[in-house]
Amino acid sequence: QISRFGAGQSAHVSAAQTARGMTSGPSARETGAVILAAAVFLAAISLSSAMGCYHWNTTSVSCESLNLTTVPEWSPNELDHITTLNLGGNRIPVIPNNAFQRAPDLTWLSVSNNIVL
């Protein structure tokens, strides 16, 4: 027996059913939703892996204790939905005025335990 997993559900399909073509795949809508979710996830991974930052979820990023000396520069749209950003425990002495203009939803920022001037 083969297990098939769709969007949030699973179904068991026997080898005989598969051979007779009695299975149905995910709908185009389900496939599109999975592709979109994967794209959002991969964008988050690229941001976090590029700087060593960790995404707790789609709205929270931690760049804590990475020995950063400057506020990271993100490319357009990378911080569009980020509401929480932790830059604590680094060595960032200055935070530029425009450092977070690419994070329009940012509501919580930690710069604790830095040497901010």
Side-chain angles (χ1 to χ4, degrees):
Q1 202 166 25
I2 301 168
S3 291
R4 288 182 64 151
F5 297 96
Q9 59 187 3
S10 66
H12 294 285
V13 180
S14 72
Q17 287 174 313
T18 302
R20 291 191 303 256
M22 295 177 62
T23 64
S24 62
S27 70
R29 184 176 179 185
E30 290 172 328
T31 301
V34 170
I35 290 171
L36 178 61
V40 169
F41 177 75
L42 290 175
I45 294 300
S46 67
L47 170 64
S48 58
S49 63
M51 294 177 293
C53 298
Y54 178 77
H55 278 257
W56 292 102
N57 54 46
T58 58
T59 62
S60 299
V61 177
S62 177
C63 301
E64 186 175 22
S65 301
L66 296 176
N67 288 320
L68 299 176
T69 56
T70 61
V71 173
E73 290 187 28
W74 289 280
S75 60
N77 303 325
E78 280 186 304
L79 294 179
D80 275 356
H81 303 289
I82 299 301
T83 59
T84 302
L85 178 59
N86 185 348
L87 295 172
N90 288 293
R91 299 180 305 140
I92 302 171
V94 177
I95 298 176
N97 289 337
N98 63 350
F100 307 107
Q101 76 182 49
R102 291 187 175 157
D105 296 333
L106 188 63
T107 57
W108 186 87
L109 170 68
S110 173
V111 292
S112 64
N113 298 317
N114 276 282
I115 309 167
V116 179
L117 302 176

